[in-house]
Amino acid sequence: MSTSSPEAVKKLLENMQTDLRSLSMECKKKFPPVKEAAESGIVKVKTIAARNTGILAALKENSLEVVQPFLMGCGTKEPKITQLCLAAIQRLMSHEVVSEAAAGNIINMLWQLMENGLEELKLLQTVLVLLTTNTVVHDEVLSKAIVLCFRLHFTKDNITNNTAAATVRQVVTVVFERMVAEDERFKVGTLDLCQLVNADAPYWLVGMTEMTRTFGLELLESVLNDFPGVFLQHQEFSFLLKERVCPLVIKLFSPNIKFRQGCNSAASPAPVEKPYFPICMRLLRVVSVLIKHFYTLLVTECEIFLSLLVKFLDGEKPQWLRAVAVESVHRLCVQPHLLRSFCQSYDMKQHSTKVFRDIVNALGSFIQSLFIIPNAGNSTAVSAPAGGSGSGAQGGAQGGPGTGGVSGNLTTQAAFEYRGTWIPLMTVSVQGSAKATYLEMLDKVEPPSIPEGYAMSVAFSALLDLVRGITSMIERELAVEEEAAAEFRETHPAQAWQPQPGVHLVWEEMVSACWCGLLAALSLLLDASTDETATENILKAELTMASLCGRLGLVTPRDAFITAICKASLPPHYALTVLSCNTNIQCMRTLLNLAHCHGAVLGTSWQLVLATLQHLVWILGLKPGMGGALKPGRAVEGPSTVLTTAVMTDLPIISNILSRLFESSQYLDDVSLHHLINALCSLSLEAMEMASGNNKEPSLFAVAKLLETGLVNMDRIEILWRPLTGHLLEVCQHPNSRMREWGAEALTALIKASLAYKHDPPLAQNQRLQLLLLNPLKELSNVLHADIRQKQLESVLQILQSQGDSLGPGWPLVLGVIGAIRNDQGESLIRTAFQCLQLVVTDFLPTMPCTCLQIVVDVAGSFGLQNQELNISLTSIGLLWNISDYFFQRGEAIIQELEREEEALQKRAQEKGETLNRPFHPAPPFDCLWLCLYAKLGEMCVDPRPAVRKSAGQTLFSTIAAHGTLLQQPTWHIVVWKVLFQLLDCVRASSTTADKEKIESGGGNILIHHSRDTAEKQWAETWVLTLAGVARIFNTRRYLLQQLGDFFEAWEVLLNHIQSAALSKNNEVSLAALKSFQEILQIVTPVKDSDRPCDAFAAMGVPPVLIDPFSASGPGRPLVRSDSLVERLTRYNGAELQAPPPGEESALEDSALWWSAWNTWYRTGTDSTRPPSGPTEKFSFIPSQPFLTALIQIFPALYQHIKANFSMEDLKKLGVILHGAVSVPISSDASPFILPSYTEAVLTSLQEAVLTALDVLQKAICVGPENLQVMYPAIFEQLLLFVEFSCKPPQYGRMETKHVANAKYNQAEWVALNYVPFAERSLEVVVDLYHKTACHKAVINEKVLQNIIKTLRMPLGLKYACPAESTWKLAVSSLLKVLSIGLPVARQHASSGKFDTMWPELANAFEDFLFTKSTPPDNLSIQEFQKNEAVDVEVVQLISTEILPFANFIPKDFVGQIMAMLNRGSIHSQSPSFTEAEIDVRMREEFSKVCFETLLQFSFSNKVSTPQEGYISRMALSVLLKRSQDVLRRYVEDERLSGHCPLPRQQVTEIIFVLKAISTLMDSLKKTQPENVDGITWAQVIALYPTLVECVTCSSPEVSSALKEALGPFKDFMQPPVSRVQNGES
C-alpha cells in the first residue's frame, strides 16, 4: 500500500496522534515541556488533517512544528523516550513529510545523541531512512549525517562498528547514485575519502574525528567500482582520480617494499596503526578497479601499478603478498580486452615498459620459482596429498566444472611434480573468472597462512585464462574480419580486400610479447603435471596458441609451441622406455587434434608434427593397411619397447584419429595442403635415406599418409598430383623392397582412385587432367624392379576392368605401360602385361580413339618379339589377327576418324611450318595402320624361334590375303617393297647364315624331328613359308600390282628370290621355291582386244601421255631397256619402238615378265644341273629328283608365254638343262621311293617331265610359223641323245655311281637310274616325230634320218648284249618304221645328195644287226628264238621291198653291200653249239630262206638296168649253186662210207637245208623271166640234177623228203630241145 493512499494517510495521522499521546504520557512527570509540546502537536495534526485536502503536503510544510515534540523527546536522553521519538521520526521520514529544515534539525539532534553514545544502532537506522527515502538532506547537512555514520563506525562496540560500516557503504552509494541523478552536485566526497585514507584532514566531511585506511580504501574501491561513469564523465572527478586517488595508491604501495608494518599518520587522530596485509590487499583491489574501469584515463599510472604488481610476484616477497598479487594478476588475465590495451599502450610504444610481456613473464617466473623454492612462506614440507591444508583448499576434492578437480573416489590428488618438488593443484576458480580467496579477506588483519599449492593453482588458472582470453578474443575478431572480407568480395569481386593493418599488428604484438613466457611456463607445467585434466588444459593452451600463431602467420612461435607438444608426445628416450606415460598419450592426442583441427595454419610445421607422429607410429608398431590407414601391427622391432595395457587399449583409437587427421586434410586450403604434402615428402625422403643403408624395417608412415591425403583430396587432386606422385615414384625406385612395395601400392592406389573419382568436369571432358593422372603410371615403367612393374601391371589390369571404357585420350599412356616389356623382366611380368593386352583387344578396341590402334599393334608386336614366354608370343600373333579382323569390320568408321585426325595434324603441322612425320607417310592413315600391322608381323617372321616365325608368317600372308583389298592401290607399293621384299631379304640372309649344328632337343623333353634338328633346317621352313606367301600374293593380286609403276622391278626381285631359294643347298627350300615359281607362272595373262605387235613395246617407249605405268622409275626418263630381251624382241618382230595409244596397257610388259621368268628358270636350271667339276667330296650337294622334276615341269607353262620369241639358242639352253637334269643320280636312301623296281619299265616323273617339255616344244613348232621348224633337228638331236642312254647311261661329272641293282639302301652312295625305259620312250617319240616331220626341209637338210640310224646302230649292234632285251627289239621296230617313212623321202631327194652319207650308215646298221657278234643267252627258249628270227626276216623283207626294187635311185656300193649280206644270210650255217633237236630251228632256216629268195628274186630280176647289177646277181647265183653241189656230193660220199650208222645231226641238217635251197631256187627260176637267167646259170642248175639223183639211196627219211621236194621242180625243165639257132639268137 503506497504511503500517499488515503488509508495510509489516515493511518499515519492516527499513528502520529498515538505517538504524540505516548510521548506526552512518558514525559508527564519528568519532562513537562516535552509533554506540552506533544499535546500541542496533536492539535496541530488534527488541524492540518481537517483543513487540507493534500494532508501530506500540509504536513510537510508544517513539519518543523510536527517534528519538534519528537526532537525535544530525544533531547531528554531517556532511552525509552528516545526510542519512541526515533521510531516516530522514522515513520514521518518514510512518508516523506519532512522538510529540509526539519531534516536539518533531525540530523543535529542525531549528532548530539551520537556524541552522547546513545541508541547507536537506532541512530544509524534513522540516518539511513532519512538519506535513502528522499533528497531533502544535502550539502552540509548530508556531510554531517555521513560523518555521523563514520564516527559510529569507530565505536568500541563490534556490532555498532559493523552496522556503521554497512551504513557508510550504503550512504556513500546513495550519495553517488544521487550524484548520477543530479549530476552537478557533490564533487568533494571522493577527495575527502582520499584525504582520510591518506590521513589528511577532510574538506567536506567536517567533524570526522578518526578514520582507518582499510575502511577508506574499501569505500574508495566500492565507489570506483560502482560508479565508474561518474568519474569518466565528469572532468572534475577524472581530475580527482588522476591527482588524488592514484598518487594515494602509489604512496601507500611504496612502504610495502620495506616490509614496514604500519604507516606514519602525523596529522590524523587515528587509533592504533592497522597491520600491513589488509591495506596491501585493499590497495590491490583498488588498483584492480582502477585498471579495470579507468585504464583509459590513467595510462601512465596503470603502468606504474602494473609494474608494482609484477614486483610483488618476486620470490623474496612474503608468501601472502605473492598470493594476493597472483590473484590480482589473475583478475587482469580474465580481461583480454584490457590486456590488449596494455599491449597497445605500453608494449607497442617505443620508450615504454613492455608491461604485457612483463606480466606474462612474471607469471612464468613465479611458477618456476615455486618449483625452485618451495613453501617459502610455509614451514610444512611436502605434506598430505589428500586435501591441502588451510581454508584455501575450497574444492580440493570436489571437481568443479571444467577444472582440475579430481572425482572423490581417486586417492591421488591433482598435483605437479618436478625434480622432487611436489605441489598440489586445487580448484581456485571457475574457468574464465578470477574468484579470489585472499583479496576477499577484508575481515582478516593478520596475513593468513597460504595453503600449499594455492599460489601455483592461481597462477596456473591465470595462465590458462590468459591464453583462453587472448586466443578467443583474437579469433573472434579474425572471424569478424573474414566475414567482412567475404562480404566485400561478394560486393566488389574485382577488387582485393585490404584489412586494417593496425588490428593485425596488435594481435601479432600480443602474441609476440607473451609466447616466450607462456611456452616456458606451460612446458614446465606439462613436464611436471601428474593429472590428466591439468595436462589436458596445458596441452589445450599450447594447442590454441600454436593455432593462433599459425593463423597470424607467426612461424617461430607456432613452431615452438608445436615442438613443445611434439616433445611431450614422445617419452624422453623413446627407444628404450616403456611407453606407458599417460602424458605421452595425451600429448599424442593433442598433437593429432592440432593437426586435425588446425592443419590449415601449420604450414611448414607439418614437418615437426609428422616427424613426431611417425616416431609414434613406430613406437606403437602401427603398420599401413589398405588405403594408407595405419593398423596395429605385430610386435615392434624397437629394441625394448614395451607397450602397457593402457596404451594397447588406446591403440585403435589413436590409429583411428591418425586416419581422421589425414581425412581432415580435405578441409585445408590449397596452400596448407601443399605444406602438408611437402612435409610428408621430406619426411619420406628421410625415411628413404634411413632405409637404404641397412635392412631395418623402413618407416612407411609418410608414404602411407601421402596415399591417405591423396585419397581424401580427390576433388582437387590436380594441385597436389605432381609433388605427390613425383615423390612416390622416387620411393618406387628404393632398394628396400618393403619401402618400394609400399611406394608402388600408394601410387597405384592413388591412380586407380583418381580415375574412378567422379571429377567435375568428368575426366572424359578434361583430357589434360586424365593424362596428368595416368602419367605416373607410365613413369613406373622406367623402374627396373620387377615387383614394382608387377604392381604397375596389376593396377593397369584393374583400371582396364573398371575404367576401360572411359580412358579416351589416356589410352596411349596405358598401352605404353602394357608395352613397356623387356626380355630381362621375367615371365610373370610379361604374362600379367599380356593379360592386360588381351583384355584391351577383346573388350576395348571399339572404345579407344582410332589413333591408338597403331599403338595396340605395336604393343602386340612387342609381345610377339619377347623371348621369355613362347606361348605369349604365339598368342600375341593371334591377337594381331583379331586386330586385323577388327580393322576389317570397322573399316569405315576407323577411316573417318583417322582422316579427321589427320586433317587436324596437317593443319597443325602447316601452322608450325613442319612436315607431318608418321610412319609410312604419305600412305593414307588407315593404310598406315595396316602397314604397321604388316611390318610388326614381318618383324616376327624373322624371330629366332621357329614357332613364332611360322605363326607370324602364316598370319601375315593370311591377313594380306583376307584384308588386302582394303588398301589403296599406291599403298601396295609399300606393302611389296617395304614389307614383303624386306622380309624376304631378311629371311634369305638368316637362312643362308644359319647354324648347321645339330640341336639336341627342343628344351624340356621335346624331341625334334630330324628334318628340323638344326637351325638351318628350321630357317629353311621359314624361307619356304615366306617365299610361298609372297608368291601367292603376287599371284592373287597380279592385276592390282601390275598397275603399280614398278611391277617389273618387283617381278624381277621376286624371281631373284625364287632363284636364290631354288639354288640354296636345301632340298626343302629349293623345291618350295620352284612351287612358288610354278604358282606365279600359272597366272593367266589378260587377253587384249588388239594383239598388234607394236603393243609389245609400250613399256619400252616414251611413257604414254595419260597413264605412266613406269612413273616410279624416275621423273620423265623414258624407260628403255638395253638388255638382250629388247634386242631379241626387236629382232623377231622387226617393229619400231613406239608408244601405244594412251590408256592401253602394254602387252610387252607381259612378255618382258615372262622372259624375265625364263631367264630365272634358265639360270636356276643351269646352276642346279651343272655337274660338279672336280673329284666330288662326299657331301657336295646334288639336287633331288622332286626338285628337278618340278624345275622341268615349269617349262611347259613358261614356254606358252615365250614361244613367240623362243629361239634356237634358247632351245640349246633348254637342251643342256634337260640333259643335265636327267643325268643327276639319286641318293641311295631316296632311291626306293623314286625308282621303280628294275624289272618294271616305268619312267620316273623327272623323265616324264623332260619328255613332256620336248613334246610341248614340238607341238608348238608343229602349229607355229614356218621359221620355227628349224628347231626340229635340235629336238631330234636331244631325243636321240636320250636314246643312247639305253646302252650308255650318262655320267654326272666324275661321280661314281653304282648300278641300281647293286646299291645298298643304307649307305650314302649315289645310284644311277635305270635309263632304259626313258631311252625307249624317247625312241618312240623320235619315231612319232619323224613320222610327222620326215618331209620338212630342216629335217632333210640336217640329216635327221642319218642321225636316227646312226643312234640306232648301237642297240642294234649290241643286240643280245643290250642292257635290256626290249631295247634292240624296239630299235629294230623303230628302224623299220623310220625307214618306211624316210626311204621314200631319201629316194626323192637322191639327186640332191643330202642323203648320200646315210646309205653306208644304213648298210652298217643292217650288217651289225643281222650278223651280230653277241651270242644269244643260253636260256633262250625256242619260241623266243623263232620270234627273234622273225624280226630278222622282217628286216630282210624291208630290204626286198623298200631298197632293192629302187636300186637305180640308190648308190651302187650300197646295193652291193646288201647283196653280199643276203648272200651271206642265205648260206648261213648253224652255230656248233646247237643241240640235235633244235638244230633245224636254230639254223635260222627261215631267215636263210628269205635271204635266198630275195637273192634269187633280185638275181632273176629283169629290171636290171646296168650290167654291173646283173653281174652281182649272177655271181651270187653261181656261188650258191656251186656250194650246193659240194654239199650234196660230200653227203653222198659220207652216207656210203657210214654203212648203217646214222650221220651227225648237223650234216643231215645241212643237206636238208641245201635241198630246200635248191627247191627254192627251182621255184625262183620258174617264176623268173627266162631271159633274165643266163646260160651258165642254167648249165649249173642242170648239173645239179645227177648229184641229186645219187642221193636217192640215203637212209634218212628227212633227207628223203627234202630230196623229193628238190627233185620235183626239175620236171618243168624237161622239154624237147629247141634248135640252137633260135637259142643262139636269144
Side-chain angles (χ1 to χ4, degrees), residues 1286-1287 1354-1368 1414:
S1286 61
C1287 310
M1354 192 187 293
L1356 291 176
L1358 287 170
K1359 197 163 183 182
Y1360 291 113
C1362 270
E1365 187 191 4
S1366 56
T1367 307
W1368 65 263
S1414 61

Side-chain angles (χ1 to χ4, degrees), residues 1107-1122:
I1107 287 185
D1108 174 5
F1110 278 82
S1111 56
S1113 61
R1117 90 182 154 78
L1119 194 96
V1120 179
R1121 285 199 176 73
S1122 57

Side-chain angles (χ1 to χ4, degrees), residues 1482-1623:
R1482 302 266 166 143
M1483 285 303 288
R1484 282 209 299 183
E1485 289 175 9
E1486 192 58 34
F1487 170 65
S1488 298
K1489 188 173 156 195
V1490 173
C1491 287
F1492 198 67
E1493 278 182 354
T1494 308
L1495 264 181
L1496 288 176
Q1497 178 188 348
F1498 284 96
S1499 303
F1500 308 121
S1501 143
N1502 49 5
K1503 292 190 188 82
V1504 178
S1505 54
T1506 61
Q1508 188 193 16
E1509 286 170 17
Y1511 164 72
I1512 286 170
S1513 51
R1514 277 200 298 282
M1515 181 189 73
L1517 264 179
S1518 99
V1519 171
L1520 188 75
L1521 291 170
K1522 183 170 180 288
R1523 191 156 173 229
S1524 306
Q1525 189 79 36
D1526 291 350
V1527 171
L1528 288 171
R1529 285 207 183 108
R1530 195 169 72 238
Y1531 176 74
V1532 173
E1533 192 73 22
D1534 289 348
E1535 175 82 14
R1536 193 179 303 124
L1537 288 173
S1538 67
H1540 292 293
C1541 290
L1543 284 169
R1545 169 74 194 154
Q1546 59 265 51
Q1547 203 174 353
V1548 173
T1549 312
E1550 190 180 23
I1551 187 69
I1552 290 169
F1553 182 76
V1554 168
L1555 290 172
K1556 284 184 179 172
I1558 291 171
S1559 59
T1560 309
L1561 180 65
M1562 298 306 286
D1563 286 353
S1564 307
L1565 287 172
K1566 211 187 311 176
K1567 291 171 194 165
T1568 316
Q1569 302 294 321
E1571 58 270 24
N1572 282 354
V1573 185
D1574 63 350
I1576 303 162
T1577 308
W1578 284 119
Q1580 277 179 309
V1581 170
I1582 291 165
L1584 277 176
Y1585 187 74
T1587 319
L1588 286 172
V1589 174
E1590 271 182 34
C1591 295
V1592 174
T1593 56
C1594 73
S1595 54
S1596 160
E1598 290 157 318
V1599 175
S1600 300
S1601 67
L1603 186 59
K1604 247 184 255 173
E1605 283 178 32
L1607 285 172
F1610 275 85
K1611 72 169 187 349
D1612 294 331
F1613 298 104
M1614 294 182 179
Q1615 287 174 354
V1618 186
S1619 66
R1620 278 185 193 275
V1621 179
Q1622 283 174 319
N1623 249 0

